[in-house]
Structures are given as C-alpha cells and as structure tokens.
Amino acid sequence: MGKLFSILSLAACLMMACNSQRSEKTMDRSAYDVITEKSYVYREMKPAPGPLSDSIQKLKKELTDYLDQQGFKRHMAGKDSLLFVRPINRK
C-alpha cells in the first residue's frame, strides 16, 4: 500500500511540474526578448583586432548561411535575457 501511494504521489507531482500553461499567463515578459519561431539569435559586436578576426568572420558567415538554408530566421538579440516560447495550438 505504501509503494502504491508513493508512486501515485510522485506521478501527481510530475504532472503538476510539467504543466507549463499555469505560469505562462502570469509571467512578466517585458524584461525578455521573446522568441516564438524557429530562429537563431545573434548579437552585433565590433570584431576585436587581431589575426584571427578574418577567420572568425568567415566561420560566422558560413554558419549563418547554413542556418538560413535550413529555414531558420535571423533574430538580433535586443535584450540581455531571452525567452523561448512554443506557440500553443488550441482547437
């Protein structure tokens, strides 16, 4: 009987912990850069002077070109904190 009760209480705790809908309505998103689509995030930075700058810029271009080909959208980070949210499909 004790094992059954502990298994049921563990299952109930897991179901409540995985319920993401309850916190979405009350969360203040004003401090976050909210991302809801398939995208990659980048920040514009001034390249540091040095011999590796050219190779780093080339690698960055290769990576962004690959992600663009795969259907990811470019998203420039506007804030320090990011929040990735899946859109909810409600019927």
Side-chain angles (χ1 to χ4, degrees):
M1 184 69 178
K3 279 186 178 183
L4 180 63
F5 179 72
S6 62
I7 290 173
L8 287 176
S9 60
L10 178 64
C13 289
L14 285 174
M15 288 191 321
M16 288 190 308
C18 294
N19 185 5
S20 64
Q21 292 180 357
R22 63 186 159 100
S23 64
E24 285 182 11
K25 295 177 184 173
T26 60
M27 185 174 175
D28 179 24
R29 297 180 179 189
S30 64
Y32 297 96
D33 192 2
V34 180
I35 300 169
T36 59
E37 59 191 0
K38 182 180 170 181
S39 61
Y40 64 95
V41 179
Y42 71 99
R43 295 183 192 268
E44 282 297 327
M45 300 179 127
K46 191 185 270 188
L52 295 177
S53 293
D54 292 337
S55 62
I56 291 172
Q57 291 296 331
K58 182 182 174 194
L59 180 61
K60 178 183 174 184
K61 180 160 178 28
E62 289 175 7
L63 287 171
T64 56
D65 289 345
Y66 175 77
L67 291 170
D68 289 336
Q69 290 173 357
Q70 298 301 316
F72 288 86
K73 294 183 181 178
R74 186 179 296 212
H75 182 91
M76 184 171 168
K79 298 182 181 179
D80 289 335
S81 300
L82 302 174
L83 178 65
F84 294 90
V85 178
R86 289 185 185 162
I88 300 173
N89 296 329
R90 296 188 183 185
K91 294 180 181 182

